[in-house]
Amino acid sequence: QVQLQESGPGLVKPSQTLSLTCSVSGGSITSDYYYWTWIRQPPGKGLEWIGHIDYRGSSYVRPSLKSRTSISRDTSKNQFTLQLSAVTPEDTAVYFCARDLGGLGNADYWGQGTQVTVSS
């Protein structure tokens, strides 16, 4: 059974960098064909796909966030991380990490999500 758990600060000040970590158990982030994904849901809105890092370590971020987003991994800890710089209140959301087979947008395992609020 694969389990994912997000961790990070619940409150970030505007212009600072948000950093979240997803710890994975029950499966390796280097296993073939899996894409390890970050998704968020702003209050009152739908899910927004942020980006992923794949089993080879290659990352991809949606163009609208690319200039201030980095996704990386630590294979020794079986974790992957999201860094979002220059945050604004519009980045307030519940952030999820998930596993996607093949990078086709079909996540089969999700973390429980973590609320991040951007406020001074």
Side-chain angles (χ1 to χ4, degrees), residues 3 13 23 27 38-39 48 50 64 66 73 89 94 106 117:
Q3 294 184 318
K13 294 187 175 177
S23 299
W38 287 101
I39 299 161
E48 178 183 43
I50 299 171
S64 62
K66 188 175 181 180
R73 68 179 186 173
V94 178
N106 295 316
T117 300

Side-chain angles (χ1 to χ4, degrees), residues 12-30:
V12 183
K13 294 187 175 177
S15 80
Q16 292 189 339
T17 295
L18 162 67
S19 183
L20 295 175
T21 296
C22 183
S23 299
V24 179
S25 61
S28 172
I29 63 172
T30 62

Side-chain angles (χ1 to χ4, degrees), residues 51-106:
H52 63 223
I53 186 163
D54 70 19
Y55 58 101
R56 300 159 296 186
S58 297
S59 63
Y60 182 81
V61 177
R62 70 182 295 134
S64 62
L65 295 174
K66 188 175 181 180
S67 64
R68 57 191 187 98
T69 303
S70 173
I71 299 175
S72 60
R73 68 179 186 173
D74 185 335
T75 57
S76 68
K77 296 181 179 179
N78 214 36
Q79 296 174 334
F80 61 106
T81 63
L82 169 72
Q83 289 195 311
L84 180 63
S85 63
V87 296
T88 72
E90 285 65 44
D91 294 310
T92 294
V94 178
Y95 285 75
F96 299 90
C97 58
R99 187 186 80 167
D100 179 348
L101 177 61
L104 300 177
N106 295 316

